[in-house]
């Protein structure tokens, strides 16, 4: 069984680390001489996200069969990130966007790892009869969770940075509700591989689009806007 847990860890943390590198590499050394965020803060909050994701996963495994509880869970996910970031240290600061990303990424990696392992155990996906299709499905689910949580964290971080936490948390909740409904449909009504993959692919599309919007298209503009609010200007933002 240890190799199955290791498989779940790889399917969760490999995309998380790749996403971390892809998003942050233009905002830290050596791309810029003065990083846009503090590494100790980022990795500390990433670790905090791992803890949050583990706790929330334990809740999720008890509620995933009830749509109303799943919807409430989607809201709690976002509010947990708000609670972590809504401190005086992070309010109105441009680096808070990156710290939100860190919290979300950590929560996504922990939740994805636990959820993949849960799927393996609960659905009996053990032994020598597991085919390639099963591994593809588990990987798709893991990637979608990492992308979704990372985007939620960045969205919340933007709200903290702009002094509008409730507005941006509400936006994150809407995206999260759509994503969680698709996962619920996959678990509840995925009676065949075709249906399972339809819902899994839709969830991945929502998460990937949301992550691209929050962590690629908007990120440099958000940082520029908040720096301007702080009375600062930097000429080394990514093009």
């Amino acid at each position: 069984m240890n190799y199955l847990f290791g498989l779940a860890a790889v399917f969760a943390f490999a995309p998380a680390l790749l996403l971390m590198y892809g998003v942050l590499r233009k905002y830290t050394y050596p791309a810029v001489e003065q990083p846009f965020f503090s590494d100790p803060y980022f990795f500390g909050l990433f670790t905090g996200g791992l803890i949050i994701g583990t706790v929330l996963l334990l809740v999720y495994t008890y509620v995933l069969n009830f749509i109303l509880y799943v919807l409430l869970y989607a809201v709690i996910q976002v509010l947990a990130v708000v609670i972590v970031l809504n401190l005086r240290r992070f309010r109105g600061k441009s680096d808070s966007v990156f710290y939100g990303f860190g919290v979300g990424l950590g929560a996504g990696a922990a939740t994805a790892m636990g959820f993949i392992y849960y799927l393996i155990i609960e659905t009996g996906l053990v032994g020598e009869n597991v085919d390639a299709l099963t591994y593809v499905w588990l990987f798709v689910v893991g990637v979608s969770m990492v992308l979704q949580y990372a985007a939620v964290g960045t969205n919340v971080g933007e709200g903290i940075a702009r002094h509008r936490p409730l507005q941006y948390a509400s936006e994150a909740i809407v995206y999260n509700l759509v994503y969680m409904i698709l996962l619920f449909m996959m678990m509840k009504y995925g009676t065949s591989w075709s249906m399972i993959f339809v819902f899994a692919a839709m969830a991945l599309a929502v998460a990937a689009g949301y992550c691209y919007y929050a962590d690629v298209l908007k990120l440099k503009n958000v940082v520029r806007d908040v720096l301007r609010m702080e009375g600062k200007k930097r000429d080394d933002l990514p093009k």
Side-chain angles (χ1 to χ4, degrees):
M1 298 297 288
N2 288 337
Y3 84 92
L4 295 173
F5 189 79
L7 179 69
V10 170
F11 280 4
F13 279 88
L17 294 176
L18 287 172
L19 181 61
M20 181 190 298
Y21 172 77
V23 171
L24 299 182
R25 62 188 177 87
K26 295 181 180 180
Y27 297 92
T28 190
Y29 186 83
V32 293
E33 291 188 9
Q34 181 183 354
F36 285 84
F37 59 92
S38 164
D39 284 345
Y41 268 113
F42 178 86
F43 285 104
L45 288 165
F46 176 78
T47 303
L50 293 174
I51 297 171
I52 292 170
T54 302
V55 172
L56 289 177
L57 174 70
L58 295 176
V59 176
Y60 183 58
T61 55
Y62 286 100
V63 305
L64 55 79
N65 289 320
F66 305 96
I67 184 61
L68 291 179
Y69 292 162
V70 168
L71 297 180
L72 179 61
Y73 174 83
V75 175
I76 292 173
Q77 280 181 309
V78 177
L79 295 181
V81 182
V82 174
I83 291 171
V84 171
L85 288 179
N86 195 26
L87 302 173
R88 186 184 300 274
R89 158 66 183 86
F90 301 120
R91 295 173 194 164
K93 306 292 185 180
S94 60
D95 53 356
S96 297
V97 184
F98 298 100
Y99 301 144
F101 172 70
V103 174
L105 194 63
T111 304
M113 181 179 68
F115 188 60
I116 291 171
Y117 190 67
Y118 170 84
L119 291 177
I120 291 172
I121 300 303
E122 289 298 310
T123 56
L125 300 177
V126 295
E128 299 178 356
N129 296 322
V130 180
D131 57 19
L133 202 60
T134 301
Y135 290 121
V136 172
W137 171 51
L138 294 173
F139 184 69
V140 166
V141 171
V143 170
S144 72
M145 279 193 163
V146 169
L147 294 174
Q148 178 68 19
Y149 278 60
V152 164
T154 305
N155 210 163
V156 171
E158 180 181 354
I160 300 297
R162 294 185 184 275
H163 289 295
R164 288 182 281 174
L166 293 182
Q167 175 185 335
Y168 285 87
S170 298
E171 182 179 308
I173 286 171
V174 171
Y175 283 104
N176 217 32
L177 286 172
V178 174
Y179 175 78
M180 294 303 299
I181 288 171
L182 290 170
L183 278 192
F184 173 81
M185 298 291 284
M186 180 189 74
M187 296 296 295
K188 193 75 172 178
Y189 302 108
T191 55
S192 65
W193 270 124
S194 58
M195 291 301 297
I196 287 173
F197 268 99
V198 165
F199 289 122
M202 291 173 66
L204 178 60
V206 169
Y210 182 28
C211 187
Y212 182 73
Y213 169 70
D215 293 317
V216 179
L217 289 182
K218 285 184 63 180
L219 187 56
K220 65 179 179 181
N221 294 326
V222 173
V223 174
R224 181 184 292 112
D225 289 348
V226 180
L227 284 171
R228 188 180 298 120
M229 288 169 48
E230 294 180 273
K232 302 176 182 177
K233 182 181 179 181
R234 291 187 59 166
D235 298 323
D236 54 353
L237 278 164
K239 302 298 182 183

